[in-house]
Amino acid sequence: MLKVPDHQVAGHPAGNGVLGPLIDDSGNFYKPLQSGERGSREVAFYISFSSNIKIPDRIRKFFPIYHGTKLVEASDGSGLQPHLVLEDVVSNRLNPSIMDIKIGSRTWYPQASEDYILKCLKKDRETTSLPLGFRISGLQIYGSKESGVWKPDKKSLKNFTKDVRLVLRKFVSSNLFEDSSTEPDCSFAPTVYGGSTGILAQLLELKAWFEDQTIFHFNSCSVLMVFEKESIGKVMSSSATVKLVDFAHVVEGNGVIDHNFLGGLCSLIKFISEILADLTL
């Protein structure tokens, strides 16, 4: 039985006649195949990535597992439509906090039409993409059983994420729902961002690969950061996870390092490193 995912934070959600992703009870995520070259490019990426022996196993863990494509009943009522069948990276999380971060100061790909490039360039200039090399495009923060989940709508998110340092601090804070003038306590930062298995360590592992890899250029891809607050109190581990998602604009690297993605990744690493450094002062 396919259903609309509860924890989608970016993109177009399914429902009310809108085409969007679906999930099942077996840990699969069904992403509608985009029309034209975007859909074919994403399929081509997953096939190439899955079969490329040059991709280290330590890097494969950062990508959703690809299970091929399948015709399923679309969420917009249009009947059977092709979908990518992927690993649902949050299926084993009960109350996840999630942040979707689009990486790169340039979110368009060189072969795109002039209209599409101008559209992307406008958004890159209006957000933090151009000045910082990344922007926060989706957010869900779980507070507690009493306070529930904070999931800002697109308009609120656009205004709020102009200060990415504040967002990254609130993401790992226990006083999320207090007065807006209250300084985020960052109480979960050492466990979520820090440590040998935390988000910073994972981003640094990705950075080391991107400093060498010239197979792909990851235009307009996102880093997905996920953790659960409940697990921190139980086992002193947040099970923090980093995944890369959205590959409709990936092109061949042709032996050239992807400096656009690498630069944005380094910028994100710098912000998170500074948050951890501030806690030790």
Side-chain angles (χ1 to χ4, degrees), residues 44-45 48-56 59-60 63 209-218 250-258:
F45 165 77
S48 175
F49 182 87
S50 300
S51 60
N52 195 314
I53 60 174
K54 294 182 180 179
I55 310 293
I59 295 301
R60 292 187 184 278
F63 292 77
W209 183 62
F210 271 93
E211 287 173 335
D212 291 324
Q213 82 86 19
T214 59
I215 308 168
F216 305 108
H217 281 190
F218 290 84
V250 173
V251 297
E252 291 184 5
N254 296 320
V256 179
I257 288 175
D258 186 357

Side-chain angles (χ1 to χ4, degrees), residues 97-98 139-143 148-150 170-171 176-177 229:
S97 291
I98 307 168
L139 183 66
Q140 168 179 302
I141 307 178
Y142 178 75
V149 175
W150 183 57
K170 275 188 172 290
F171 188 59
L176 169 70
F177 293 96
K229 289 179 179 176

